[in-house]
Amino acid sequence: MSTLVDDDLWSAVGDPTRRRMIDLLLADGSGTATGLSERLPVTRQAVAKHLAVLDRVGLVHAGTAGRERRYRVDERQLARAVAQLNAVGSAWDSRLERIKRIAESIQQTTEDKE
Amino acid sequence: MSTLVDDDLWSAVGDPTRRRMIDLLLADGSGTATGLSERLPVTRQAVAKHLAVLDRVGLVHAGTAGRERRYRVDERQLARAVAQLNAVGSAWDSRLERIKRIAESIQQTTEDKE
DNA sequence: CCCAATGCGCAACCTTTTGTTGCGTTGTGT
DNA sequence: ACACAACGCAACAAAAGGTTGCGCATTGGG
């Protein structure tokens, strides 16, 4: 019931800037800290730190090509993250469903009393 | 393309402690800061701060009953949050699908050259 | 009725995360 | 060869997440 979730992975995609970075990397296939920072409202250094976080949880991998450090998304790990989003989403969904049914039955009872 | 997401809402559910709090509130129907903190690895004060965050984004609402401050989940807003999780999840999913197809076609081209 | 216990809010403080600026190092391409 | 582009590292600031300590209201059992 306590939703088997990798907190580090969740927290990684919990940050708005990091989510946008993943979007950009997915759109372009790969990217560098400098390139990404040009399309984000933060500095290159901030982007570099976020890339380090994403790298630590395995959501991206880096390759050094000359003076460039090129990052790309790890599809397996992103798929894992998506699976966890869906898992939590459907867990909450079913809770909400249950609450709705209970609420209806209570209303039923109340109506009986009136 | 830039995934219409309410960053505040997402960040609210991005925190592991807050996610567990939502789980507990859903399981019990409602709860107080003190009650929740007994089942979490943090102090009452930390829980109170998290409840304030959740309240600010509308994920929970509080009712004062005597000396107790009782919180319950706002089903509508949680449903919104779930919808956003699903939205981002499927956006990434379709990206991954596309990448997979491209990778296959590249491999095809490479095989042609060999 | 009363007072000890319960629940809460507020403030001070600490650590980690997120962001900045500044600077030095190292490949790149004319 | 050398100006430039891309990077890493360090020092710093602000916000987030957590703690302890305190005082104030409500409440329930003697």
Side-chain angles (χ1 to χ4, degrees):
Chain A
M1 205 126 303
S2 52
T3 338
L4 308 89
V5 170
D6 179 337
D7 282 343
D8 289 338
L9 198 53
W10 249 94
S11 297
V13 300
D15 183 89
T17 303
R18 284 196 286 266
R19 249 188 348 267
R20 266 159 221 145
M21 286 169 55
I22 292 173
D23 286 340
L24 290 173
L25 288 177
L26 284 176
D28 298 356
S30 74
T32 65
T34 303
L36 290 173
S37 71
E38 283 162 2
R39 303 205 258 158
L40 290 168
V42 294
T43 59
R44 170 182 66 83
Q45 285 86 341
V47 170
K49 286 184 190 177
H50 282 304
L51 284 171
V53 172
L54 291 175
D55 192 44
R56 221 179 303 129
V57 299
L59 274 171
V60 302
H61 296 301
T64 306
R67 71 180 153 186
E68 263 191 1
R69 188 134 241 269
R70 187 138 225 105
Y71 290 83
R72 60 179 56 248
V73 173
D74 182 314
E75 291 136 36
R76 296 264 180 88
Q77 193 70 351
L78 184 61
R80 258 195 72 201
V82 169
Q84 299 202 348
L85 294 189
N86 291 336
V88 171
S90 45
W92 283 348
D93 252 346
S94 57
R95 285 285 189 196
L96 290 177
E97 268 305 308
R98 229 213 252 181
I99 288 167
K100 214 172 113 191
R101 279 199 302 276
I102 290 170
E104 279 161 7
S105 74
I106 287 172
Q107 191 181 346
Q108 195 64 33
T109 309
T110 309
E111 281 171 5
D112 290 352
K113 283 183 184 171
E114 279 168 0
Chain B
M1 203 132 299
S2 52
T3 338
L4 306 89
V5 170
D6 179 337
D7 282 342
D8 290 338
L9 194 54
W10 184 294
S11 296
V13 300
D15 182 89
T17 302
R18 283 195 288 263
R19 256 195 333 275
R20 267 158 221 143
M21 287 169 55
I22 292 173
D23 286 341
L24 291 173
L25 287 178
L26 284 176
D28 298 355
S30 73
T32 64
T34 302
L36 290 173
S37 70
E38 282 162 3
R39 304 204 257 156
L40 290 169
V42 294
T43 60
R44 171 182 66 84
Q45 285 84 343
V47 170
K49 286 185 191 177
H50 283 304
L51 284 171
V53 172
L54 292 176
D55 191 44
R56 221 179 302 129
V57 301
L59 274 171
V60 302
H61 296 300
T64 306
R67 71 182 154 190
E68 265 193 359
R69 189 132 240 270
R70 188 139 224 103
Y71 289 83
R72 60 179 57 248
V73 173
D74 182 315
E75 291 135 35
R76 296 264 181 87
Q77 193 71 349
L78 184 60
R80 259 195 71 200
V82 169
Q84 299 202 347
L85 294 188
N86 291 337
V88 171
S90 45
W92 284 348
D93 251 346
S94 58
R95 285 285 190 196
L96 290 176
E97 269 305 309
R98 228 214 253 181
I99 288 168
K100 214 173 113 191
R101 279 200 302 277
I102 290 170
E104 280 161 5
S105 75
I106 287 171
Q107 192 181 346
Q108 195 64 32
T109 310
T110 309
E111 281 171 4
D112 290 353
K113 283 184 182 171
E114 278 169 354

